[in-house]
Amino acid sequence: KLANVLFTKELQRRADAACQDWLTAVCLHPGVVNTDLWRYIVGEEKLEELKAKDDFSVEKLALGATSLFTKSPEQGASTQI
């Protein structure tokens, strides 16, 4: 994501320097994508333990809440145009 932003900024800078007023470079953030990155934050064993728990915990609440506001990996990978 950062590389896309930096590329876009550089492209626009070069277009401006070349007096290419017709060119406007833009980039979009795909939004928050549910890619299971929690496994790297809390560890795979802890993540599986959280998913398997039947009782209430703040961690399980946070895990569940994030899935309400995230896109699937397929939705995140689809084009923004």
Side-chain angles (χ1 to χ4, degrees):
K1 293 175 193 174
L2 178 58
N4 285 335
V5 171
L6 295 174
F7 174 82
T8 304
K9 288 180 68 80
E10 179 63 16
L11 179 62
Q12 187 63 58
R13 186 192 69 74
R14 290 182 185 198
D16 292 344
C19 297
Q20 300 295 321
D21 297 334
W22 59 270
L23 179 65
T24 301
V26 295
C27 62
L28 299 171
H29 189 290
V32 182
V33 180
N34 186 4
T35 57
D36 228 6
L37 288 176
W38 279 102
R39 69 176 176 243
Y40 298 112
I41 297 169
V42 299
E44 288 193 44
E45 291 176 10
K46 178 72 172 177
L47 181 62
E48 292 305 317
E49 180 185 313
L50 285 172
K51 287 181 177 180
K53 271 188 180 178
D54 288 333
D55 61 339
F56 175 79
S57 70
V58 175
E59 295 160 325
K60 184 141 180 155
L61 178 65
L63 185 63
T66 57
S67 65
L68 293 174
F69 304 105
T70 57
K71 296 178 180 180
S72 71
E74 293 80 16
Q75 291 170 323
S78 70
T79 182
Q80 300 297 316
I81 297 176

